[in-house]
């Protein structure tokens, strides 16, 4: 495939060399003449092991060239990647200045070309950027409609400095967000010889994935550093703690907890977060990440309440009171907190939880139910269907499997809010999800 890559910085130069090494014809584009000259001479404008050797190989095979001319690059290729910087503004917002400048140049060249051309955003941009400001820039300068007159896509990169060549050939996944079928087909063909899971998604999803990955990596570093600091202050080697922690691939390093849903609760997580945070304070160890965990959890409960409040419905059926399915444990259950918020705001509330109803009569939590939450205990119903009748708002509050059928039982006048993950699709009409 004939490819042009705009921006001969770290990502752009690495992609130029790697695509050429896989047999594609690549033109590198940059406004800095010195960078263009270096690439045309087989010299790398940056330090990355093995990169210069690949550039030389590409030049010798006539697979690589570089230019400062956007028109020349677009005319001679089928698809253009934009890999220019997206720095922060002073207020922390994303600066799209360089992306828009390049988009305008590419769009003007597409207008002159008179043939279909695909534009792929490789730079890291916030969700909504491509379908908003970037799309407007491209359409205004080209006089064409995105997805019709030219292709438009997002293709985030997952390269680490120092191992970029290996990462390009062995990515954890290939992600593309495409506005049109042609763009999806071109990118799929471009990556057809790379062995990695392929995800073809919406443009907004692809934009969000890149940020999610980077922020998660930042969280992991901050978490390990805070744990290490607390461990050292406690006379423990934090490296050994994290080494053993990472050996658990079933829960610690796994997808198990990495699913959007409701807040955490139960007898372990809340108290242990508070206890470790308290000990860190005693040891005079700053731990802003750990300190924020309980606040974040509280915000998520409040977010669920806001979603409920916005419906304007007052007669509520709450399915699930325990903090997770298949248990009667109500200790620090966020579902209990949500129910109490609803009662406190005057909502008419009825609750169904088979396990809690059993515990009220027979279980170990009988005393807790009778003395800690008698105001909620009196609202428990014995029949799942009875709770549904006459309710305006249905909340699926924990993951009990028997609640799955409720998705198809609600009427058009009722609103269903899923805060645990039963819905297969994202929010639409009278069915709303807390994070989807």
């Amino acid at each position: 495939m004939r490819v042009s890559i705009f921006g001969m910085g770290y990502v752009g130069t690495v992609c130029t060399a790697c695509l050429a090494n896989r047999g594609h014809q690549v033109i590198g584009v940059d406004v800095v003449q010195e960078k263009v000259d270096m690439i045309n001479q087989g010299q790398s404008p940056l330090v990355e092991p093995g990169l210069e050797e690949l550039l030389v190989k590409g030049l010798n095979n006539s697979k690589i060239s570089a230019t400062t001319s956007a028109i020349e690059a677009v005319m001679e290729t089928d698809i253009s990647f934009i890999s220019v910087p997206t720095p922060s503004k002073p207020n922390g917002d994303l600066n799209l200045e360089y992306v828009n400048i390049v988009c305008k140049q590419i769009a003007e060249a597409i207008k002159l070309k008179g043939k279909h051309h695909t534009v792929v955003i490789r730079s890291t941009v916030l969700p909504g950027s491509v379908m908003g400001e970037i799309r407007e820039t491209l359409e205004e300068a080209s006089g064409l409609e995105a997805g019709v007159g030219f292709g438009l896509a997002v293709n985030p990169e997952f390269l680490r400095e120092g191992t970029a060549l290996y990462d390009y050939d062995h990515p954890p996944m290939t992600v593309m967000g495409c506005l049109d079928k042609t763009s999806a087909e071109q990118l799929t063909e471009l990556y057809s010889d790379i062995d990695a899971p392929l995800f073809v998604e919406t443009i907004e999803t692809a934009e969000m994935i890149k940020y999610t990955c980077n922020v998660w990596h930042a969280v992991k570093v901050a978490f390990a550093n805070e744990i290490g600091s607390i461990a050292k202050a406690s006379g423990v080697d934090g490296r050994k703690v994290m080494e053993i922690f990472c050996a658990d691939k079933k829960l610690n390093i796994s997808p198990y907890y990495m699913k959007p849903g409701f807040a955490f609760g139960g007898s372990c997580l809340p108290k242990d977060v508070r206890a470790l945070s308290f000990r860190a304070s005693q040891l005079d160890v700053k731990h802003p990440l750990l300190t924020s965990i309980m606040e974040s959890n509280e915000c998520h409960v409040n977010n669920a309440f806001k979603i409920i409040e916005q419906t304007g419905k007052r007669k509520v059926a709450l399915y699930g009171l325990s903090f997770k399915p298949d248990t009667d444990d109500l200790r620090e259950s966020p579902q209990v907190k949500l129910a109490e918020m609803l009662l406190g705001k005057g909502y008419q509330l009825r609750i169904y939880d088979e396990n809690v109803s059993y515990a009220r009569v027979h279980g170990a939590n009988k005393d807790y139910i009778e003395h800690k939450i008698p105001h909620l205990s009196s609202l428990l119903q014995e029949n799942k269907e009875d709770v549904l009748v006459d309710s305006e708002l249905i909340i699926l509050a924990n993951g009990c499997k028997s609640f799955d059928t409720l998705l198809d039982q609600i009427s058009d006048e009722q609103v269903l809010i899923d805060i645990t993950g039963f819905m297969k699709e994202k929010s639409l009409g009278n069915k709303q999800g807390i994070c989807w």
Side-chain angles (χ1 to χ4, degrees), residues 10 14 17-18 44 46-55 160-167:
Y10 184 80
V14 168
C18 290
S44 174
L46 51 97
V47 176
E48 179 64 35
L51 179 56
E52 192 156 292
E53 289 81 354
L54 276 191
L55 289 172
R160 298 168 296 174
E161 294 186 31
T163 60
L165 302 186
Y166 178 87
D167 291 344

Side-chain angles (χ1 to χ4, degrees), residues 393-407:
L393 178 65
I394 293 86
I395 304 171
L396 304 184
N398 74 22
C400 181
K401 293 178 181 178
S402 67
F403 298 163
D404 190 24
T405 58
L406 295 169
L407 286 168

Side-chain angles (χ1 to χ4, degrees), residues 358-372:
Y358 178 86
R360 180 172 58 174
V361 180
H362 306 287
N365 281 328
K366 179 180 178 181
D367 183 70
Y368 183 92
I369 295 169
E370 290 179 347
H371 295 95
K372 297 292 185 181

Side-chain angles (χ1 to χ4, degrees), residues 13-24 26 39 41-44 48-65 164-166 168-169:
T13 305
V14 168
C15 292
T16 295
C18 290
L19 280 170
N21 191 47
R22 289 180 172 272
H24 301 284
V26 188
I39 290 172
Q41 293 166 15
Q43 299 175 356
S44 174
E48 179 64 35
L51 179 56
E52 192 156 292
E53 289 81 354
L54 276 191
L55 289 172
V56 170
K57 179 182 176 182
L59 281 169
N60 292 338
N61 293 335
S62 300
K63 293 295 183 182
I64 291 176
S65 62
L165 302 186
Y166 178 87
Y168 188 94
D169 291 329

